[in-house]
Amino acid sequence: MSHSVFFRRAGASGTRLAARGPRRTVVSCTLLVIALGAGLVACGSGGDPLEKPYDAADDLEFNVPVGDGKKADPDKPLEVTLSGSDGRITDVTATDARGRHVAGELTADGSRWHSTSPLAAGTHYTVGVTTEDDDGAPGRKIYDVQTSTPKTKKRLNVAFGPKAGTYGVGQPVTAELSEPVKDKASRAIVERALKVDSEPAVEGSWYWVDDKTLHYRPKDYWPAHATVRVHSNLADVKIAENLWGGDTKPLKLTTGDRVIAVTNAATHLLTVYKDDQPIRQIPVTTGKPGYATRNGIKVILGKQSTVRMRGSTIGISEGSSDSYDLLVHWAAQVTWSGEYVHAAPWSVGSQGYANVSHGCTGMSNGNAQWFFDTVRVGDIVKVVNSGGADMTPFGNGFGDWNLGWAKWRKGSALVASPEGPTPQDRARLRPQAA
């Protein structure tokens, strides 16, 4: 017995029913139609497997020569504009052979992108422009831009410090410039090119100590056992009229344990903390009236097993009652002017009870040797409750940590406020110059 099914056929006069063959034949035909339909949908948004991606190349305009052998002026920003099209620019990347990215800003409507960091001279850039049309179909084109070489040979060289090695968590990074940089816009170019990366990552910032010196520190101390890498992207970048960036040797540092020593001048005790846990408390003597030890946070600058100390170096007249000339052992220096944490066997009777030194922190030979062996350059020594002046941020050692984070940020040439750029500004600037 044969079976028939009916399907609806649309026509000008309406809908009518028609009979067709066996059910199994119709079902298989239906599956075939469905499969073919699925195949058509999978071919692409236009249903044409040979359809080309959106191409806005004819509508893109550059303000510099592109791929024609001519060279762009590195003094001018790079601009890419999309005109005469219903599409938009979605992103622009400009990268040189060193892997440096040029920071840029894209207008809200996607019609124009321009660089916000300077181009390097004598450099080849690969510029990728990503676009989309009104339907969201993407497109991308790659262009070559070559910048010209400056005639001037005056270079700004940078020397990073300290030397490569392992330091305490309070060690700042320094940058010494070969030429003074005074203009804020020029400072911003320099600072943006001086990169400090740490693992684990921390928030940090440069501070302009003077026209030729910058210090970098995190918001808080470095993490213990961190790796810090410092490099410069200034090479061939114009900084000011007739001044271009030179090559700079990169720097790698590591940090040791988190070791912090706190000296309470009122109780005459120094407590050493490791990973925030106290590991030793040492009776000490600090500066007596007239020579009171400076309050504040200091960084160990160096260590000497033996150092000669003379009163004349701090203005004490030879032959006076306060004059001294001693060989001192197990000395950890915390200021350039001569403040140390050291062995002072002559004052053991006062240690833990009274302040009798000329500004240094003295302890017994055994305690001093233990302290000397425990701390490293870059570790923190903090003095509290002394009658002395406060430690200055700069000029007499590393007093950087005595500035709060908001004040530290004000020393940067890159931020308009201590809190940095707004999220809106940060979103519009992409990518960050590497």
Side-chain angles (χ1 to χ4, degrees):
M1 181 176 65
S2 63
H3 297 276
S4 300
V5 296
F6 293 90
F7 67 94
R8 296 185 182 271
R9 177 181 297 164
S13 60
T15 303
R16 60 191 178 93
L17 299 179
R20 282 296 176 99
R23 180 187 301 270
R24 59 177 180 171
T25 303
V26 173
V27 171
S28 62
C29 289
T30 303
L31 292 176
L32 177 60
V33 170
I34 293 174
L36 288 173
L40 291 174
V41 172
C43 287
S45 59
D48 181 358
L50 300 180
E51 182 181 12
K52 294 182 179 179
Y54 168 63
D55 185 358
D58 292 339
D59 298 318
L60 289 174
E61 297 178 358
F62 285 75
N63 69 324
V64 299
V66 176
D68 60 359
K70 295 182 180 179
K71 295 183 179 180
D73 184 352
D75 286 356
K76 296 180 180 180
L78 173 64
E79 294 183 4
V80 185
T81 305
L82 183 65
S83 61
S85 173
D86 294 330
R88 63 189 65 84
I89 299 172
T90 58
D91 196 20
V92 176
T93 59
T95 311
D96 69 7
R98 296 171 181 255
R100 297 180 295 184
H101 293 276
V102 178
E105 184 176 14
L106 182 65
T107 59
D109 63 0
S111 63
R112 176 178 172 271
W113 179 95
H114 71 279
S115 61
T116 55
S117 63
L119 301 177
T123 301
H124 173 264
Y125 286 95
T126 301
V127 182
V129 183
T130 304
T131 56
E132 68 178 17
D133 65 11
D134 281 348
D135 294 327
R140 183 167 176 80
K141 286 289 184 179
I142 304 297
Y143 303 87
D144 294 319
V145 173
Q146 178 70 40
T147 58
S148 59
T149 302
K151 296 179 180 180
T152 179
K153 293 184 179 180
K154 191 174 184 181
R155 297 287 178 172
L156 178 75
N157 297 314
V158 183
F160 291 126
K163 296 179 179 179
T166 301
Y167 293 85
V169 297
Q171 178 65 48
V173 174
T174 63
E176 296 291 337
L177 310 182
S178 61
E179 302 289 338
V181 178
K182 299 180 180 181
D183 177 70
K184 187 172 182 179
S186 298
R187 285 187 171 190
I189 293 172
V190 171
E191 187 176 335
R192 188 177 290 110
L194 303 183
K195 301 295 184 180
V196 181
D197 301 304
S198 69
E199 187 179 339
V202 292
E203 181 182 3
S205 177
W206 288 102
Y207 187 105
W208 285 81
V209 178
D210 55 43
D211 295 342
K212 297 178 68 174
T213 307
L214 296 87
H215 286 189
Y216 186 99
R217 49 154 273 208
K219 183 177 181 179
D220 301 306
Y221 301 136
W222 296 105
H225 310 294
T227 299
V228 181
R229 291 181 172 84
V230 190
H231 71 278
S232 170
N233 284 334
L234 270 179
D236 299 315
V237 171
K238 185 176 182 180
I239 299 163
E241 195 64 32
N242 297 323
L243 182 63
W244 297 78
D247 288 321
T248 300
K249 183 179 179 180
L251 173 66
K252 177 183 175 182
L253 306 175
T254 55
T255 60
D257 295 325
R258 180 183 172 95
V259 176
I260 299 173
V262 179
T263 301
N264 189 327
T267 62
H268 318 293
L269 291 172
L270 181 151
T271 305
V272 178
Y273 297 85
K274 181 178 179 180
D275 298 329
D276 298 324
Q277 298 299 316
I279 59 172
R280 188 154 179 157
Q281 195 169 66
I282 300 173
V284 296
T285 182
T286 63
K288 62 185 178 180
Y291 300 95
T293 305
R294 297 170 184 81
N295 281 297
I297 303 171
K298 305 156 192 177
V299 175
I300 293 179
L301 306 173
K303 300 194 302 178
Q304 293 175 268
S305 56
T306 302
V307 60
R308 183 181 180 184
M309 295 186 180
R310 291 172 292 181
S312 58
T313 61
I314 60 171
I316 298 175
S317 301
E318 294 185 9
S320 68
S321 58
D322 278 318
S323 178
Y324 59 88
D325 188 343
L326 300 167
L327 287 178
V328 176
H329 302 296
W330 314 121
Q333 187 173 6
V334 293
T335 71
W336 300 128
S337 62
E339 183 182 327
Y340 289 80
V341 179
H342 63 78
W346 54 85
S347 64
V348 169
S350 298
Q351 292 165 17
Y353 301 99
N355 294 321
V356 298
S357 82
H358 291 90
C360 291
T361 298
M363 58 187 70
S364 69
N365 280 335
N367 282 329
Q369 184 173 0
W370 178 89
F371 184 83
F372 186 92
D373 292 339
T374 301
V375 300
R376 69 174 78 241
V377 173
D379 280 337
I380 295 293
V381 175
K382 182 178 181 180
V383 177
V384 298
N385 299 324
S386 171
D390 291 334
M391 177 70 176
T392 57
F394 310 107
N396 194 17
F398 292 128
D400 305 45
W401 301 101
N402 294 289
L403 287 180
W405 184 240
K407 289 185 177 179
W408 183 268
R409 291 281 286 166
K410 288 182 179 179
S412 167
L414 292 181
V415 291
S417 70
E419 301 304 322
T422 65
Q424 293 82 3
D425 287 340
R426 194 178 289 114
R428 289 188 302 113
L429 297 173
R430 64 182 195 270
Q432 293 289 328

